[in-house]
Amino acid sequence: MRPKGTITATIAAAVLTAGLGGCGTDTPETAAGRAGIGSNDRGGTSSPAPAPKPQRVKVAQTVWYAGLKLELGTLVYEPAKESATNVPSLGVGEILTLDVAITNLATTQGPNSVPLTLELDSQHYDGSLTGVNGLPGSATTKGTFEFAVPTAIGDLATGTIAVGDADGAQAVVPLGSTGERVTLEPRTLLQAPQELAVAELRYKVTACQLRADLLNEHDQLRKNDRSVACLVDIQYTGNTPGGHTIANENFRLKLPDGTVQAAEKYPIKLLSAQEVERDLLVRFTIPWPASGAYAIQLLDLGHLGRNPPGQQNTGEVPLTISK
């Protein structure tokens, strides 16, 4: 018979061996698992992804769109910053902002939104204009475009900002050193006012511009169109009792090939003797690009507008348009 103390020691050793894993030696994976450490495929521990870094790109460019002048400031990426449209803590995304000063060049109320997009790494992010309650006429308003972007965003300096829809005339601002910048800044076509006496009408063309927008309508032309927009003063020097009618018959645009086209936008007035109407808008739409020698034709076809046009009742103001 084995002594009682010997049996007790043997049982205790067996229990201890079972508690440490019993049958076999620990592998690195099982040892790591007991210690609460993860392991990768190579037997080492995994590392957390690096935290995204803030980015700032100074845009400092001005573009024109739909009767507005937009002065773009600085594009700022701040990881984990929450806003009305981005709540990283809820998995919605990160915040990227672009400050802007918007001047409404028209006298009419501006639009409630501006289509502005950031293109980066073949992805497109629409900007939402915030901090703006309205765009009153002839005033400058400051606001911020906010973009919903992923956490792993690329280098902002390789991106491009576009203002406008794809089928319209778009302003384009590359954020790096490559790419073509398109501001759509209105171009002056008339260096000084021009006066013409045409039969019983006296015309004064005070300004002409080549534009990609419809100023007072706050609209944008199609990408393959531009407008020639002029301001004109008109005085009737005759004395017909019923006055003199001003309408579309009084305005034409002579194209480089010698043909003429009617005005798209023109005033409709009935002028009394010696009466003057000022700052009347006359606008033509032309295909783009289309460089060459143009001319605004101003006519007097009689007080009812029924006389045939000819050299005696037609005057011209030449304009040169280049791409």
Side-chain angles (χ1 to χ4, degrees), residues 4-321:
K4 183 176 181 181
T6 302
I7 295 174
T8 303
T10 301
I11 294 174
V15 171
L16 180 60
T17 301
L20 291 176
C23 43
T25 306
D26 274 349
T27 65
E29 287 79 7
T30 55
R34 270 202 319 277
I37 319 171
S39 63
N40 56 25
D41 292 341
R42 300 174 183 175
T45 59
S46 60
S47 301
K53 296 181 179 180
Q55 297 186 56
R56 297 177 72 89
V57 174
K58 187 176 181 180
V59 183
Q61 296 290 335
T62 302
V63 298
W64 283 257
Y65 174 81
L68 307 174
K69 182 176 75 170
L70 290 84
E71 298 173 80
L72 308 179
T74 301
L75 197 62
V76 179
Y77 171 60
E78 295 185 11
K81 178 179 178 181
E82 297 189 358
S83 73
T85 55
N86 297 271
V87 187
S89 60
L90 299 181
V92 179
E94 301 289 350
I95 178 65
L96 189 152
T97 61
L98 173 65
D99 61 292
V100 62
I102 303 176
T103 300
N104 185 349
L105 302 174
T107 56
T108 53
Q109 182 73 16
N112 294 324
S113 62
V114 177
L116 185 146
T117 302
L118 171 66
E119 187 274 327
L120 184 65
D121 296 335
S122 299
Q123 298 296 318
H124 296 81
Y125 307 100
D126 293 334
S128 175
L129 184 60
T130 63
V132 173
N133 295 320
L135 298 173
S138 303
T140 298
T141 304
K142 292 186 177 181
T144 302
F145 284 100
E146 291 190 348
F147 304 83
V149 298
T151 299
I153 195 170
D155 182 4
L156 293 180
T158 64
T160 301
I161 291 173
V163 181
D165 296 323
D167 61 347
Q170 278 189 324
V172 179
V173 179
L175 300 179
S177 57
T178 61
E180 181 182 2
R181 181 164 54 97
V182 180
T183 67
L184 300 182
E185 181 177 4
R187 191 183 309 172
T188 298
L189 299 177
L190 193 65
Q191 302 304 319
Q194 300 289 316
E195 295 189 47
L196 294 174
V198 182
E200 293 185 323
L201 294 177
R202 183 176 296 278
Y203 290 95
K204 182 178 182 180
V205 184
T206 59
C208 283
Q209 288 185 327
L210 181 71
R211 304 187 65 96
D213 62 355
L214 307 178
L215 180 64
N216 290 313
E217 292 93 328
H218 289 294
D219 202 357
Q220 196 76 350
L221 292 171
R222 294 177 299 180
K223 61 182 177 182
N224 294 324
D225 288 340
R226 292 294 185 270
S227 75
V228 176
C230 299
L231 293 179
V232 183
D233 298 345
I234 307 175
Q235 181 182 24
Y236 174 44
T237 61
N239 55 11
T240 302
H244 197 298
T245 300
I246 301 296
N248 62 321
E249 297 88 356
N250 295 94
F251 312 98
R252 301 191 305 193
L253 180 66
K254 185 178 178 180
L255 306 178
D257 63 3
T259 60
V260 296
Q261 73 176 55
E264 180 182 279
K265 178 79 173 181
Y266 52 85
I268 299 177
K269 299 289 182 180
L270 181 61
L271 299 182
S272 303
Q274 307 305 316
E275 183 181 1
V276 180
E277 285 282 352
R278 303 187 188 278
D279 293 331
L280 302 176
L281 176 62
V282 180
R283 188 176 67 223
F284 306 86
T285 299
I286 62 174
W288 187 255
S291 303
Y294 292 75
I296 301 295
Q297 291 191 336
L298 306 167
L299 299 89
D300 182 359
L301 304 184
H303 66 280
L304 295 178
R306 296 176 180 175
N307 298 339
Q311 292 184 351
Q312 300 300 317
N313 58 10
T314 303
E316 289 188 355
V317 175
L319 304 172
T320 299
I321 296 178

